[in-house]
Amino acid sequence: RDSKNEEKVTLDAMCDLAMVHYAKGDVKKKKISEGMQTLNAVGDALANITFTKGLQDSFTEVEGYKKAETLLQFVVNKRKLKPGPDALETIITVHNLAKVYTEQGAHDSKIYKKASTNLTECVQKYTNLYGEGHPVTLNCVNDLALLYFKSGDYEKAEQYFDQCLEQREIKLGEAHPDTLKAKNNLAML
């Protein structure tokens, strides 16, 4: 038996499971939004029922993100030891953890700070590995811009959305779907 390979496969599986929990949290978030739209459409008579259901979904969402955070943090710690902090699989796991923090941090500046630190580190490491205009690097830059947008720091969000759009126009062209997505993100501001 190859114990090094088994450990890698185990850590990969833990990452996959963490992302399932992350996705479950995202699905619950969409259900809450749909529930609130129903409340607005139907009126005050259903307010109590919809609100109670929304709270239940919110707790489930938080559980999913917490499980994802716990698993990803464990894998990050292991991967920083081996294969090391600059290995691609470690960077990807840190990036995924930052996405979980971004979703968790709605009203918690400490969690947003963790996400910002992780994403900034990932942008630098992706840039070192692939270059400034590589799609992987730009996806991380876009995630950093979204984090700043969600936290209300629109100036920083604009800076990173601009950077992402500029590089995507150069590398992919103006009509590429990722370039159009970057234009849309900038227009949200």
Side-chain angles (χ1 to χ4, degrees):
R1 294 185 338 180
D2 183 4
S3 63
K4 288 180 183 179
N5 189 41
E6 285 179 8
E7 182 178 356
K8 182 189 179 320
V9 169
T10 301
L11 293 176
D12 288 345
M14 290 178 79
C15 277
D16 292 343
L17 180 59
M19 296 317 290
V20 166
H21 287 296
Y22 170 77
K24 284 171 65 176
D26 192 43
V27 167
K28 294 296 181 185
K29 182 187 239 179
K30 289 179 180 149
K31 286 184 180 177
I32 292 168
S33 176
E34 290 169 6
M36 292 313 292
Q37 288 173 0
T38 300
L39 171 65
N40 292 334
V42 175
D44 292 340
L46 297 177
N48 193 30
I49 297 168
T50 305
F51 181 72
T52 304
K53 178 68 175 146
L55 282 178
Q56 180 183 5
D57 286 347
S58 292
F59 289 124
T60 305
E61 173 187 332
V62 169
E63 280 180 26
Y65 291 142
K66 283 292 185 191
K67 287 178 184 177
E69 177 187 358
T70 301
L71 287 167
L72 287 169
Q73 190 59 61
F74 176 83
V75 175
V76 164
N77 291 338
K78 289 286 190 184
R79 286 187 169 163
K80 281 186 175 182
L81 296 173
K82 188 170 77 176
D86 296 326
L88 180 59
E89 59 202 70
T90 305
I91 300 166
I92 291 169
T93 308
V94 170
H95 188 173
N96 287 336
L97 180 60
K99 288 179 183 181
V100 170
Y101 286 149
T102 298
E103 292 303 321
Q104 280 182 309
H107 302 290
D108 189 338
S109 62
K110 290 178 186 174
I111 292 177
Y112 270 138
K113 179 68 177 156
K114 287 180 184 180
S116 173
T117 300
N118 284 355
L119 287 170
T120 302
E121 174 186 319
C122 288
V123 167
Q124 186 58 50
K125 289 183 178 188
Y126 285 138
T127 301
N128 291 345
L129 282 173
Y130 297 119
E132 189 177 287
H134 192 276
V136 171
T137 305
L138 294 176
N139 284 339
C140 193
V141 170
N142 188 69
D143 288 343
L144 186 57
L146 287 170
L147 168 72
Y148 286 123
F149 178 79
K150 287 181 177 187
S151 68
D153 190 342
Y154 301 118
E155 200 171 300
K156 280 189 179 177
E158 183 176 13
Q159 171 192 341
Y160 288 107
F161 280 141
D162 272 336
Q163 177 185 345
C164 193
L165 175 59
E166 183 179 306
Q167 287 295 315
R168 284 181 172 165
E169 284 177 336
I170 292 168
K171 300 289 183 180
L172 303 173
E174 289 189 19
H176 191 278
D178 287 346
T179 304
L180 296 174
K181 178 178 153 188
K183 285 181 183 180
N184 183 63
N185 288 342
L186 194 54
M188 289 187 321
L189 296 171

